[in-house]
Amino acid sequence: MNTAHPNAPALDVAALECGYDGQVLLKNVTFQVKRGEIFFVIGGSGCGKSTLLRHLVGLHAPTAGTVQFFGECFNAATGDRQRELLKRIGVLYQGGALWSSLNLLENVMLPLEEYTPLDAAERAELACMKLAQVGLSGYDNYYPSEISGGMRKRAGLARALALDPAIVFFDEPSAGLDPLTSRKLDELIVNLRDLLGMTCVVVSHELASIFGIADRVIMLDKQAKGIIAEGDPRVLVTDSKDVRVREFLGRGEDGGAPARQKQPSP
């Protein structure tokens, strides 16, 4: 974490423009994420949620605007400094994105091998600790094909936590999971945030997760090519002046928000 800016937000995005091959998909995207916050990027299919995520974590360079982590501009950094900033970021990709030819321990060890001077024994010890943090003690030698979808997500999260990141990005973490497994993953995210003090940025369209654990959200819209709402989803679902926001958040079976509400922090 950059100690030169102790009061800076964890993530500060200003006038960001995202796109591919000359096509602008998002424009003038501006928001901040507080330290220790669970912040959701929400919206319907095709609105640009995953596009925004890929630009935030450095997989694609924005065509305009800035992304700052703890007060330091990521997209203006070059070479070794950008590499150092990347060590402060963890990403849980959709599906876990584990290497099928490696067991869980080897998967979690990958970033440690790439970014640290630890020897093999030290990397293995730390990887075991990370698997234990996500409830996968004893599964070190299992391969991704030998475990459930929910366990693969947890293993992917263990790898995302390998370097003790200050910010963890989640790309549709509940996708493909049954409601109970999804809820347990949400609870794990909250518990890890409370234990480790990390900041969480979650891309999702799942209402149960949005109402269950989000502190704040931004909502993207395909036609607007940007943000159409920001705030507490439990307030936006009834008080937003934009019908698109109320309809998206109020699409439960009873026409309203899901029953599961965010639990207060202990």
Side-chain angles (χ1 to χ4, degrees), residues 150-167:
M151 293 170 74
R152 285 194 291 272
K153 292 286 181 81
R154 286 173 177 259
L157 179 53
R159 187 179 60 190
L161 296 173
L163 298 174
D164 295 323
I167 306 177

Side-chain angles (χ1 to χ4, degrees), residues 52-241:
L52 176 59
L53 177 65
R54 288 192 289 269
H55 284 76
L56 293 179
V57 302
L59 293 178
H60 295 282
T63 52
T66 58
V67 176
Q68 292 189 44
F69 297 117
F70 301 100
E72 184 167 358
C73 188
F74 173 73
N75 52 306
T78 56
D80 290 343
R81 187 57 201 156
Q82 192 169 78
R83 181 178 170 87
E84 285 300 309
L85 289 172
L86 282 173
K87 289 167 64 175
R88 309 306 300 153
I89 302 169
V91 184
L92 173 58
Y93 295 100
Q94 202 174 141
L98 300 172
W99 290 93
S100 60
S101 59
L102 302 179
N103 63 33
L104 300 192
L105 186 70
E106 292 167 336
N107 266 283
V108 178
M109 288 171 61
L110 281 176
L112 298 170
E113 184 174 352
E114 175 72 17
Y115 287 102
T116 75
L118 300 175
D119 62 33
E122 291 170 327
R123 293 196 301 268
E125 182 180 3
L126 186 53
C128 283
M129 290 174 55
K130 296 304 175 182
L131 286 168
Q133 281 184 333
V134 301
L136 289 177
S137 293
Y139 287 89
D140 308 13
N141 295 318
Y142 281 68
Y143 286 83
S145 62
E146 298 175 324
I147 58 176
S148 68
M151 293 170 74
R152 285 194 291 272
K153 292 286 181 81
R154 286 173 177 259
L157 179 53
R159 187 179 60 190
L161 296 173
L163 298 174
D164 295 323
I167 306 177
V168 179
F169 293 87
F170 299 79
D171 187 9
E172 297 283 4
S174 297
L177 302 182
D178 63 82
L180 179 58
T181 303
S182 176
R183 179 167 185 167
K184 288 182 177 179
L185 183 59
D186 286 346
E187 292 171 351
L188 176 62
I189 292 171
V190 174
N191 290 338
L192 288 171
R193 186 276 308 268
D194 294 343
L195 177 66
L196 304 176
M198 65 189 191
T199 302
C200 303
V201 178
V202 185
V203 168
S204 180
H205 68 278
E206 300 285 348
L207 290 181
S209 295
I210 293 167
F211 285 101
I213 67 172
D215 293 315
R216 285 190 305 128
V217 305
I218 54 170
M219 181 171 169
L220 304 180
D221 180 75
K222 185 175 182 179
Q223 279 66 45
K225 293 186 176 182
I227 298 172
I228 60 171
E230 178 176 350
D232 185 331
R234 290 156 287 275
V235 175
L236 292 173
V237 67
T238 55
D239 293 358
S240 175
K241 296 180 181 179

